[in-house]
Short mmCIF file of all heavy atoms in Angstrom, two decimals:
data_model
loop_
_atom_site.label_atom_id
_atom_site.label_comp_id
_atom_site.label_asym_id
_atom_site.label_seq_id
_atom_site.Cartn_x
_atom_site.Cartn_y
_atom_site.Cartn_z
N ALA A 16 -17.93 25.20 -45.43
CA ALA A 16 -16.51 25.66 -45.23
C ALA A 16 -15.88 26.20 -46.52
O ALA A 16 -15.15 27.23 -46.55
CB ALA A 16 -15.58 24.43 -44.81
N ALA A 17 -16.13 25.56 -47.63
CA ALA A 17 -15.63 26.05 -48.93
C ALA A 17 -16.20 27.42 -49.26
O ALA A 17 -15.61 28.21 -49.90
CB ALA A 17 -15.99 24.96 -49.97
N GLY A 18 -17.53 27.67 -48.77
CA GLY A 18 -18.00 28.96 -49.17
C GLY A 18 -17.91 30.07 -48.27
O GLY A 18 -18.44 31.20 -48.49
N CYS A 19 -17.13 30.01 -47.09
CA CYS A 19 -16.94 30.86 -46.13
C CYS A 19 -16.07 32.10 -46.71
O CYS A 19 -14.98 31.81 -47.14
CB CYS A 19 -16.36 30.48 -44.84
SG CYS A 19 -17.46 29.42 -43.97
N PRO A 20 -16.35 33.39 -46.61
CA PRO A 20 -15.57 34.50 -47.05
C PRO A 20 -14.35 34.65 -46.12
O PRO A 20 -14.35 34.30 -45.02
CB PRO A 20 -16.42 35.69 -47.04
CG PRO A 20 -17.43 35.34 -45.93
CD PRO A 20 -17.60 33.84 -46.07
N PRO A 21 -13.24 35.16 -46.59
CA PRO A 21 -12.06 35.55 -45.73
C PRO A 21 -12.43 36.63 -44.89
O PRO A 21 -13.46 37.37 -45.07
CB PRO A 21 -11.03 36.04 -46.79
CG PRO A 21 -11.72 36.57 -47.94
CD PRO A 21 -12.96 35.71 -48.03
N PRO A 22 -11.80 36.80 -43.72
CA PRO A 22 -12.06 37.93 -42.68
C PRO A 22 -11.69 39.23 -43.34
O PRO A 22 -10.96 39.39 -44.21
CB PRO A 22 -11.02 37.60 -41.56
CG PRO A 22 -9.89 36.70 -42.16
CD PRO A 22 -10.48 35.89 -43.23
N PRO A 23 -12.40 40.31 -42.97
CA PRO A 23 -12.15 41.65 -43.61
C PRO A 23 -10.78 42.07 -43.21
O PRO A 23 -10.18 41.73 -42.33
CB PRO A 23 -13.29 42.41 -42.84
CG PRO A 23 -13.71 41.78 -41.61
CD PRO A 23 -13.40 40.14 -41.89
N PRO A 24 -10.33 43.02 -44.11
CA PRO A 24 -8.84 43.53 -43.99
C PRO A 24 -8.74 44.07 -42.59
O PRO A 24 -7.52 43.94 -42.04
CB PRO A 24 -8.79 44.48 -44.99
CG PRO A 24 -9.81 44.19 -45.96
CD PRO A 24 -10.83 43.55 -45.30
N GLY A 25 -9.60 44.74 -42.00
CA GLY A 25 -9.41 45.33 -40.63
C GLY A 25 -9.59 44.55 -39.46
O GLY A 25 -9.61 45.14 -38.42
N ASP A 26 -9.78 43.30 -39.68
CA ASP A 26 -9.93 42.45 -38.42
C ASP A 26 -9.05 41.22 -38.37
O ASP A 26 -9.22 40.26 -39.23
CB ASP A 26 -11.49 42.02 -38.48
CG ASP A 26 -11.75 41.21 -37.31
OD1 ASP A 26 -10.90 41.03 -36.28
OD2 ASP A 26 -13.03 40.75 -37.22
N ASP A 27 -7.96 41.39 -37.68
CA ASP A 27 -6.89 40.28 -37.63
C ASP A 27 -7.14 39.46 -36.43
O ASP A 27 -6.94 39.88 -35.32
CB ASP A 27 -5.70 40.95 -37.54
CG ASP A 27 -4.51 39.88 -37.60
OD1 ASP A 27 -4.85 38.68 -37.70
OD2 ASP A 27 -3.39 40.31 -37.40
N ASP A 28 -7.46 38.16 -36.48
CA ASP A 28 -7.63 37.25 -35.41
C ASP A 28 -6.37 36.29 -35.35
O ASP A 28 -6.39 35.25 -34.78
CB ASP A 28 -8.91 36.42 -35.64
CG ASP A 28 -10.12 37.14 -35.65
OD1 ASP A 28 -10.10 38.05 -34.83
OD2 ASP A 28 -10.94 36.74 -36.51
N GLU A 29 -5.21 36.79 -35.66
CA GLU A 29 -3.98 35.95 -35.48
C GLU A 29 -3.70 35.74 -33.99
O GLU A 29 -4.20 36.51 -33.16
CB GLU A 29 -2.89 36.70 -36.18
CG GLU A 29 -3.00 36.68 -37.70
CD GLU A 29 -1.88 37.40 -38.39
OE1 GLU A 29 -1.10 37.89 -37.60
OE2 GLU A 29 -1.72 37.45 -39.58
N ALA A 30 -2.91 34.79 -33.70
CA ALA A 30 -2.36 34.68 -32.36
C ALA A 30 -1.67 35.82 -31.75
O ALA A 30 -1.76 36.05 -30.48
CB ALA A 30 -1.36 33.44 -32.33
N THR A 31 -1.16 36.81 -32.64
CA THR A 31 -0.40 37.93 -32.04
C THR A 31 -1.37 39.09 -31.98
O THR A 31 -0.90 40.12 -31.45
CB THR A 31 0.66 38.31 -33.06
OG1 THR A 31 0.17 38.57 -34.35
CG2 THR A 31 1.68 37.24 -33.14
N ASP A 32 -2.56 39.08 -32.46
CA ASP A 32 -3.49 40.20 -32.32
C ASP A 32 -4.88 39.68 -31.92
O ASP A 32 -5.55 39.17 -32.80
CB ASP A 32 -3.59 40.97 -33.76
CG ASP A 32 -4.30 42.22 -33.47
OD1 ASP A 32 -4.65 42.60 -32.40
OD2 ASP A 32 -4.48 42.85 -34.59
N ASP A 33 -5.08 39.73 -30.68
CA ASP A 33 -6.41 39.15 -30.23
C ASP A 33 -7.46 40.17 -30.11
O ASP A 33 -7.15 41.30 -29.55
CB ASP A 33 -6.14 38.53 -28.75
CG ASP A 33 -7.45 37.77 -28.25
OD1 ASP A 33 -8.39 37.72 -28.96
OD2 ASP A 33 -7.40 37.56 -26.98
N ASP A 34 -8.62 39.89 -30.61
CA ASP A 34 -9.81 40.85 -30.61
C ASP A 34 -10.55 40.73 -29.36
O ASP A 34 -11.69 40.48 -29.37
CB ASP A 34 -10.78 40.50 -31.83
CG ASP A 34 -10.03 40.74 -33.12
OD1 ASP A 34 -9.25 41.66 -33.32
OD2 ASP A 34 -10.25 39.83 -34.02
N ASP A 35 -9.80 40.88 -28.26
CA ASP A 35 -10.44 40.61 -26.93
C ASP A 35 -11.12 41.95 -26.43
O ASP A 35 -11.19 42.91 -27.23
CB ASP A 35 -9.50 40.15 -25.91
CG ASP A 35 -8.33 41.10 -25.70
OD1 ASP A 35 -8.40 42.22 -25.98
OD2 ASP A 35 -7.24 40.57 -25.18
N ALA A 36 -11.66 41.83 -25.30
CA ALA A 36 -12.38 43.07 -24.67
C ALA A 36 -11.57 44.41 -24.54
O ALA A 36 -12.09 45.49 -24.52
CB ALA A 36 -12.99 42.79 -23.45
N THR A 37 -10.14 44.29 -24.56
CA THR A 37 -9.43 45.57 -24.46
C THR A 37 -8.73 46.04 -25.59
O THR A 37 -8.05 47.15 -25.64
CB THR A 37 -8.23 45.19 -23.38
OG1 THR A 37 -7.46 44.09 -23.95
CG2 THR A 37 -8.85 44.78 -21.99
#
Side-chain angles (χ1 to χ4, degrees):
C19 289
D26 188 1
D27 181 8
D28 294 321
E29 295 176 353
T31 58
D32 188 4
D33 182 11
D34 300 319
D35 60 21
T37 60

